[in-house]
Amino acid sequence: MKYTVNEKGYYGEFGGAWIPEMMYTNIEELKTRYLGIIESEEFRNEFDKLMKDYVGRPSPLYYAGRLSEHYGSNIYLKREDLNHTGSHKLNNTIGQILLAQKLGKTRIIAETGAGQHGVATATVCALKGIKCVVYMGALDVSRQAPNVKKMKMLGAEVVPVHSGNKTLKDATNEAMRDWINNPEDTHYIIGSVVGPHPYPDMVARFQSVISKEMKSQLLEQTGSELPTRVLACVGGGSNAAGAFYHFLDDEQVELIGVEAAGKGVDTNETAATLTVGSPGVLHSARTMLMQTEDGQIIEPYSISAGLDYPGIGPLHAHLHKTGRAKFLAATDEEVLQSVLLLTQKEGIIPALESAHALAALDKIKMNPDDVNVVNLSGSGNKDMETYLNYFGY
């Protein structure tokens, strides 16, 4: 594949492992061992069995008939919202908990924004009987209270982070500090295609099950394994990486990532990194990020806690730079209207994050015969309070 990571951990000019010396041991162990472990027959057998019997894969590829009629084009939804725990996040945490066991780790840490990755991490730790600590921005703790309660019920310790703007970036900072201080027994399950190599590659590999299934399902339903386009929301970008992965070299397939515009890309309240950002280093990888002229991080904003991040995975930065993928941005208002449209057309309540991809359907030109696949990355159950307040029910 042209778009996979190279031996130094880079996608073009983006990626790498820009790490402090104290993190070297942790990263070096992962770099030297992860491929051998995750490509082994023993690992694949256990991973595939859990994907089928525990996660509930394959997730359906659903033809949204009324939504298709509304747009005058064929709309398919990849139903990651139907996975156990309600999102795509479990694909990655299943893989990483198995890896951690092979590495002999007895303690797991994670960061979370919307709480879906935190719940998925707490879930696999309960499954395997491993201690779990989840760092979460204090703002996100308050606006994603149902997921916080789920994590605690699953046995995880949830640590609110009060630094910065108390969201995903700050939770990631604290998780990295923890890992530096506990290198021997702890594995850090990063939830997206961000951070130092090998995390972006490793997480993309685990999430690639999404596009692998899409191909076989499209072949069965349409007669071709290649759609016209694939759309997915992008914060760090793990669900998009998974949805794009097996189409990257099929350049006739249009790939569209959708960032969080927040209150508008021309305001100070946005998380549309590729629209307003510039190259720099964030969380130990060179990527595109929101920063001032002197390199200080600009705090992002989105109504969606899972997309409220000032950077983007290096794979997506590379896809943007090369033009292989197109990246759009959707405002909070556009997203909320897309939530209502899907809910009332198809009886499916999407997560705020996923609704960014849905909002892009109003921004692109589609022909009647096109096959458009939207990765519905999560369920809206966690966002019901936001929806009820906004729509006044």
Short mmCIF file of all heavy atoms in Angstrom, two decimals, residues 186-213:
data_model
loop_
_atom_site.label_atom_id
_atom_site.label_comp_id
_atom_site.label_asym_id
_atom_site.label_seq_id
_atom_site.Cartn_x
_atom_site.Cartn_y
_atom_site.Cartn_z
N THR A 186 2.74 -1.43 33.09
CA THR A 186 1.59 -0.72 32.50
C THR A 186 1.65 -0.67 30.98
O THR A 186 2.71 -0.41 30.40
CB THR A 186 1.52 0.71 33.06
OG1 THR A 186 1.31 0.64 34.47
CG2 THR A 186 0.39 1.51 32.42
N HIS A 187 0.50 -0.90 30.36
CA HIS A 187 0.34 -0.66 28.92
C HIS A 187 -0.67 0.47 28.73
O HIS A 187 -1.73 0.47 29.36
CB HIS A 187 -0.14 -1.91 28.18
CG HIS A 187 -0.41 -1.67 26.72
ND1 HIS A 187 0.59 -1.38 25.81
CD2 HIS A 187 -1.58 -1.64 26.01
CE1 HIS A 187 0.05 -1.20 24.61
NE2 HIS A 187 -1.26 -1.35 24.71
N TYR A 188 -0.34 1.39 27.87
CA TYR A 188 -1.22 2.52 27.55
C TYR A 188 -2.02 2.18 26.30
O TYR A 188 -1.45 2.07 25.21
CB TYR A 188 -0.37 3.78 27.36
CG TYR A 188 -1.13 5.04 26.99
CD1 TYR A 188 -2.51 5.14 27.09
CD2 TYR A 188 -0.44 6.17 26.53
CE1 TYR A 188 -3.19 6.30 26.76
CE2 TYR A 188 -1.11 7.34 26.20
CZ TYR A 188 -2.48 7.39 26.31
OH TYR A 188 -3.15 8.54 25.97
N ILE A 189 -3.33 2.02 26.43
CA ILE A 189 -4.20 1.77 25.28
C ILE A 189 -4.66 3.12 24.74
O ILE A 189 -5.61 3.71 25.24
CB ILE A 189 -5.41 0.89 25.65
CG1 ILE A 189 -4.95 -0.48 26.14
CG2 ILE A 189 -6.35 0.75 24.45
CD1 ILE A 189 -6.09 -1.47 26.42
N ILE A 190 -3.94 3.63 23.74
CA ILE A 190 -4.34 4.87 23.08
C ILE A 190 -5.57 4.56 22.21
O ILE A 190 -5.62 3.53 21.54
CB ILE A 190 -3.19 5.45 22.25
CG1 ILE A 190 -2.08 5.97 23.19
CG2 ILE A 190 -3.68 6.58 21.33
CD1 ILE A 190 -0.90 6.59 22.47
N GLY A 191 -6.54 5.48 22.22
CA GLY A 191 -7.82 5.20 21.60
C GLY A 191 -7.95 5.62 20.16
O GLY A 191 -8.97 5.35 19.52
N SER A 192 -6.94 6.30 19.60
CA SER A 192 -7.07 6.76 18.23
C SER A 192 -5.75 6.57 17.49
O SER A 192 -4.77 6.07 18.04
CB SER A 192 -7.51 8.23 18.19
OG SER A 192 -7.98 8.55 16.89
N VAL A 193 -5.73 6.99 16.21
CA VAL A 193 -4.52 6.82 15.39
C VAL A 193 -3.60 8.01 15.60
O VAL A 193 -3.13 8.65 14.65
CB VAL A 193 -4.89 6.65 13.90
CG1 VAL A 193 -5.46 5.27 13.65
CG2 VAL A 193 -5.89 7.72 13.44
N VAL A 194 -3.32 8.31 16.85
CA VAL A 194 -2.46 9.43 17.24
C VAL A 194 -1.36 8.91 18.13
O VAL A 194 -1.31 7.73 18.47
CB VAL A 194 -3.27 10.53 17.98
CG1 VAL A 194 -4.37 11.09 17.08
CG2 VAL A 194 -3.87 10.00 19.28
N GLY A 195 -0.45 9.82 18.52
CA GLY A 195 0.63 9.44 19.41
C GLY A 195 1.84 8.94 18.64
O GLY A 195 1.87 8.95 17.40
N PRO A 196 2.86 8.50 19.37
CA PRO A 196 4.09 8.06 18.73
C PRO A 196 3.94 6.73 18.02
O PRO A 196 3.10 5.90 18.39
CB PRO A 196 5.06 7.93 19.93
CG PRO A 196 4.16 7.60 21.09
CD PRO A 196 2.91 8.39 20.84
N HIS A 197 4.74 6.53 16.97
CA HIS A 197 4.82 5.22 16.33
C HIS A 197 5.22 4.18 17.39
O HIS A 197 6.10 4.45 18.19
CB HIS A 197 5.86 5.26 15.21
CG HIS A 197 6.07 3.95 14.53
ND1 HIS A 197 5.09 3.35 13.77
CD2 HIS A 197 7.14 3.10 14.52
CE1 HIS A 197 5.56 2.21 13.30
NE2 HIS A 197 6.79 2.03 13.73
N PRO A 198 4.54 3.02 17.47
CA PRO A 198 3.72 2.40 16.44
C PRO A 198 2.21 2.57 16.62
O PRO A 198 1.44 1.88 15.94
CB PRO A 198 4.08 0.92 16.59
CG PRO A 198 4.25 0.74 18.06
CD PRO A 198 4.91 2.02 18.53
N TYR A 199 1.76 3.44 17.53
CA TYR A 199 0.33 3.53 17.80
C TYR A 199 -0.53 3.83 16.58
O TYR A 199 -1.55 3.15 16.36
CB TYR A 199 0.05 4.54 18.92
CG TYR A 199 0.26 3.96 20.29
CD1 TYR A 199 1.39 4.26 21.04
CD2 TYR A 199 -0.68 3.09 20.85
CE1 TYR A 199 1.58 3.72 22.31
CE2 TYR A 199 -0.49 2.56 22.12
CZ TYR A 199 0.63 2.87 22.84
OH TYR A 199 0.81 2.33 24.08
N PRO A 200 -0.23 4.85 15.76
CA PRO A 200 -1.11 5.12 14.62
C PRO A 200 -1.28 3.91 13.69
O PRO A 200 -2.39 3.62 13.23
CB PRO A 200 -0.42 6.29 13.91
CG PRO A 200 0.32 6.99 15.01
CD PRO A 200 0.82 5.89 15.89
N ASP A 201 -0.19 3.20 13.45
CA ASP A 201 -0.27 2.01 12.59
C ASP A 201 -1.02 0.88 13.28
O ASP A 201 -1.87 0.22 12.67
CB ASP A 201 1.14 1.55 12.23
CG ASP A 201 1.13 0.31 11.35
OD1 ASP A 201 0.47 0.35 10.28
OD2 ASP A 201 1.74 -0.71 11.73
N MET A 202 -0.74 0.67 14.54
CA MET A 202 -1.34 -0.43 15.29
C MET A 202 -2.86 -0.26 15.41
O MET A 202 -3.63 -1.19 15.15
CB MET A 202 -0.71 -0.50 16.68
CG MET A 202 -1.16 -1.66 17.54
SD MET A 202 -0.07 -1.87 18.97
CE MET A 202 -0.33 -0.30 19.83
N VAL A 203 -3.29 0.94 15.77
CA VAL A 203 -4.73 1.19 15.92
C VAL A 203 -5.43 1.08 14.57
O VAL A 203 -6.53 0.52 14.47
CB VAL A 203 -4.98 2.57 16.57
CG1 VAL A 203 -6.47 2.90 16.62
CG2 VAL A 203 -4.38 2.61 17.98
N ALA A 204 -4.81 1.60 13.51
CA ALA A 204 -5.40 1.48 12.17
C ALA A 204 -5.56 0.03 11.76
O ALA A 204 -6.58 -0.35 11.14
CB ALA A 204 -4.55 2.24 11.15
N ARG A 205 -4.59 -0.79 12.09
CA ARG A 205 -4.69 -2.22 11.76
C ARG A 205 -5.86 -2.88 12.46
O ARG A 205 -6.60 -3.67 11.87
CB ARG A 205 -3.38 -2.94 12.12
CG ARG A 205 -2.22 -2.65 11.17
CD ARG A 205 -0.92 -3.22 11.72
NE ARG A 205 0.23 -2.91 10.88
CZ ARG A 205 0.72 -3.72 9.95
NH1 ARG A 205 0.16 -4.90 9.73
NH2 ARG A 205 1.77 -3.37 9.24
N PHE A 206 -6.03 -2.57 13.75
CA PHE A 206 -7.16 -3.17 14.47
C PHE A 206 -8.50 -2.66 13.95
O PHE A 206 -9.47 -3.41 13.88
CB PHE A 206 -7.03 -2.88 15.97
CG PHE A 206 -5.87 -3.58 16.65
CD1 PHE A 206 -5.14 -2.94 17.65
CD2 PHE A 206 -5.51 -4.87 16.30
CE1 PHE A 206 -4.08 -3.58 18.28
CE2 PHE A 206 -4.45 -5.51 16.91
CZ PHE A 206 -3.73 -4.87 17.90
N GLN A 207 -8.56 -1.39 13.57
CA GLN A 207 -9.81 -0.82 13.07
C GLN A 207 -10.08 -1.17 11.61
O GLN A 207 -11.20 -1.00 11.13
CB GLN A 207 -9.81 0.70 13.24
CG GLN A 207 -9.85 1.18 14.69
CD GLN A 207 -11.16 0.86 15.39
OE1 GLN A 207 -12.08 0.30 14.82
NE2 GLN A 207 -11.24 1.24 16.67
N SER A 208 -9.09 -1.71 10.91
CA SER A 208 -9.26 -2.00 9.48
C SER A 208 -10.30 -3.09 9.23
O SER A 208 -10.72 -3.30 8.10
CB SER A 208 -7.93 -2.40 8.85
OG SER A 208 -7.51 -3.68 9.31
N VAL A 209 -10.72 -3.77 10.29
CA VAL A 209 -11.80 -4.75 10.16
C VAL A 209 -13.05 -4.09 9.57
O VAL A 209 -13.84 -4.74 8.88
CB VAL A 209 -12.10 -5.41 11.53
CG1 VAL A 209 -12.64 -4.40 12.54
CG2 VAL A 209 -13.09 -6.57 11.37
N ILE A 210 -13.21 -2.79 9.80
CA ILE A 210 -14.39 -2.07 9.30
C ILE A 210 -14.43 -2.10 7.77
O ILE A 210 -15.44 -2.49 7.16
CB ILE A 210 -14.40 -0.62 9.81
CG1 ILE A 210 -14.47 -0.58 11.34
CG2 ILE A 210 -15.57 0.16 9.20
CD1 ILE A 210 -14.26 0.82 11.93
N SER A 211 -13.35 -1.66 7.13
CA SER A 211 -13.34 -1.61 5.66
C SER A 211 -13.20 -3.01 5.05
O SER A 211 -13.68 -3.25 3.93
CB SER A 211 -12.22 -0.69 5.15
OG SER A 211 -10.98 -1.01 5.73
N LYS A 212 -12.59 -3.93 5.76
CA LYS A 212 -12.51 -5.31 5.27
C LYS A 212 -13.92 -5.88 5.13
O LYS A 212 -14.26 -6.50 4.11
CB LYS A 212 -11.69 -6.16 6.22
CG LYS A 212 -11.53 -7.61 5.79
CD LYS A 212 -10.70 -8.40 6.79
CE LYS A 212 -10.57 -9.86 6.36
NZ LYS A 212 -9.80 -10.65 7.36
N GLU A 213 -14.75 -5.65 6.15
CA GLU A 213 -16.13 -6.12 6.08
C GLU A 213 -16.93 -5.35 5.03
O GLU A 213 -17.75 -5.94 4.31
CB GLU A 213 -16.80 -5.96 7.45
CG GLU A 213 -16.29 -6.93 8.50
CD GLU A 213 -16.92 -6.69 9.86
OE1 GLU A 213 -17.79 -5.80 9.99
OE2 GLU A 213 -16.53 -7.41 10.81
#
